[in-house]
Amino acid sequence: MAAKDERGRAGEERAVCYLRDAGWHIIDRNWRCPQGEIDIVVGDGHTVVVVEVKTRRSDGFGHPFEAVDTRKRDRLWRLLAAWGAAHPELAHGRRARIDVIGITGDDVDTATLEHLVDLR
């Protein structure tokens, strides 16, 4: 596995720990369909959240949140709809939203973690 992929997996693992500590239930990870992949799906009794994780060594090429442009955001909404259609028992009757977690720093375990809630 390439170093970039390993770093991305480590960032996703850190995000999962953060989300669990915040009280979210991890419903799905790395869910794939023909339209793409969702990093993490979390939920509580009322809401289902697709979480996109962006891990960077620095913000030299822009803040991690900047990587989620309009095209990516639209794709995430399509993926959320596809996930909901594939899991109606988990999605029915719940609000849905998209969050982004950005992790910036050399060491993923100590890097700055930021959580953007309800990307529109």
Side-chain angles (χ1 to χ4, degrees), residues 3-110:
K4 179 184 172 202
D5 294 335
E6 288 179 21
R7 183 172 184 73
R9 293 280 181 214
E12 286 180 19
E13 190 59 38
R14 169 117 188 260
V16 163
C17 292
Y18 162 82
L19 292 162
R20 277 191 185 128
D21 289 348
W24 290 95
H25 171 70
I26 308 303
I27 298 172
D28 217 337
R29 291 182 68 176
N30 305 115
W31 182 81
R32 290 179 175 85
C33 70
Q35 294 83 18
E37 178 182 351
I38 295 173
D39 292 337
I40 304 168
V41 181
V42 298
D44 63 14
H46 308 286
T47 308
V48 171
V49 183
V50 164
V51 182
E52 176 72 6
V53 181
K54 294 296 182 186
T55 307
R56 303 284 186 265
R57 288 194 184 281
S58 73
D59 60 2
F61 291 102
H63 190 280
F65 294 164
E66 293 176 43
V68 185
D69 58 11
T70 302
R71 194 172 112 212
K72 178 68 172 183
R73 184 181 62 237
D74 291 346
R75 183 177 183 191
L76 288 168
W77 280 108
R78 286 192 303 274
L79 287 168
L80 174 59
W83 184 90
H87 301 88
E89 73 284 1
L90 298 172
H92 181 72
R94 290 183 173 182
R95 292 185 306 258
R97 72 173 199 239
I98 295 172
D99 290 4
V100 182
I101 290 181
I103 299 172
T104 309
D106 284 328
D107 180 356
V108 172
D109 292 331
T110 59

